[in-house]
Amino acid sequence: KVEVLPIEAIVRGYITGSGWKEYEKQGTVCDMALPEGLRESQKLPRVLFTPSTKAEYGDHDENIHPDKCAEIIGEERAKEMARVAEELYSKAAEYALGKGIIIADTKFEFGVDKQGNLMLIDEVLTPDSSRFWPTASYKVGRGQESYDKQYLRDYLTSIDFDMHTPIDLPPTVLDNTLKKYIEAYVKLTGNRPELG
């Protein structure tokens, strides 16, 4: 049995999403200052650990400064989480890049076992927890084509979805999302998934 830590360990290698929105407004990500002049989707000067709190279903997670993470789970545990998350991201990003995919960012979740060991839990490096961009079409200064749930997010934004009311997704949205996920899987593994 594992005690789930109340932090989402987000690691960013590129500036996009909520990080880009914050940077545009105030030149920071999770209240950490970044160099001036970065452009959307640009590779960051270094990998960033940008934690967030875990929100209830339908609510948005809140990006927090790493110091706030330390206040919530303790300084040593926060340092360990950041180190492990950055190492996992860096190794995966290097592998994926060799397969033609940029992992712009990803989210890990951790827990602690009865002996106090940090444990990686939940999904890891999936299209639901990461932003996967094809290297062939990558261009700094704009949003990117993706193999992840961004397609679905864009659809929900286009219909002004309120994030609370259940809806049925059109079959084309489901099919196109699945196709993107399968394409990423094939590029990364060289195999076709067995769908049941």
Side-chain angles (χ1 to χ4, degrees):
K1 187 140 180 154
V2 174
E3 176 192 346
V4 177
L5 294 172
I7 298 292
E8 299 207 329
I10 299 166
V11 183
R12 300 173 191 270
Y14 294 74
I15 189 151
T16 188
S18 64
W20 171 245
K21 288 177 185 169
E22 181 183 330
Y23 178 79
E24 278 188 302
K25 287 181 188 168
Q26 56 198 47
T28 62
V29 173
C30 288
D31 293 326
M32 294 182 289
L34 292 178
E36 290 182 18
L38 293 178
R39 296 169 56 211
E40 184 177 8
S41 304
Q42 185 172 344
K43 187 172 184 175
L44 292 165
R46 65 178 177 83
V47 171
L48 291 180
F49 172 67
T50 59
S52 73
T53 58
K54 291 171 67 97
E56 296 296 317
Y57 178 78
D59 290 333
H60 290 288
D61 301 329
E62 179 188 346
N63 292 338
I64 58 174
H65 189 280
D67 290 348
K68 178 75 173 170
C69 176
E71 290 174 21
I72 295 169
I73 64 171
E75 187 174 345
E76 289 308 310
R77 183 68 72 201
K79 284 181 182 175
E80 181 183 24
M81 177 187 281
R83 179 185 56 76
V84 170
E86 289 176 10
E87 286 175 5
L88 288 168
Y89 168 82
S90 296
K91 184 129 179 108
E94 181 181 341
Y95 173 84
L97 196 58
K99 301 289 185 175
I101 293 179
I102 293 167
I103 302 177
D105 56 30
T106 195
K107 168 192 70 104
F108 300 109
E109 293 188 48
F110 293 93
V112 179
D113 69 11
K114 289 180 180 178
Q115 291 75 40
N117 299 307
L118 188 70
M119 307 289 292
L120 182 62
I121 61 172
D122 202 24
E123 63 185 316
V124 176
L125 297 159
T126 70
D128 286 340
S129 65
S130 310
R131 281 189 175 88
F132 293 158
W133 298 337
T135 56
S137 61
Y138 171 70
K139 186 175 181 182
V140 173
R142 62 171 174 83
Q144 304 300 310
E145 293 177 26
S146 68
Y147 295 120
D148 53 61
K149 67 181 177 184
Q150 191 61 47
Y151 173 82
L152 181 57
R153 281 186 184 134
D154 292 345
Y155 170 77
L156 294 173
T157 299
S158 78
I159 64 166
D160 295 322
F161 179 58
D162 65 12
M163 301 298 281
H164 297 284
T165 309
I167 63 168
D168 290 323
L169 293 170
T172 55
V173 172
L174 294 172
D175 290 345
N176 288 338
T177 301
L178 180 61
K179 284 177 188 171
K180 289 176 175 296
Y181 284 27
I182 290 172
E183 189 176 348
Y185 182 89
V186 170
K187 281 184 89 62
L188 290 170
T189 68
N191 299 308
R192 300 241 357 124
E194 293 181 27
L195 304 175

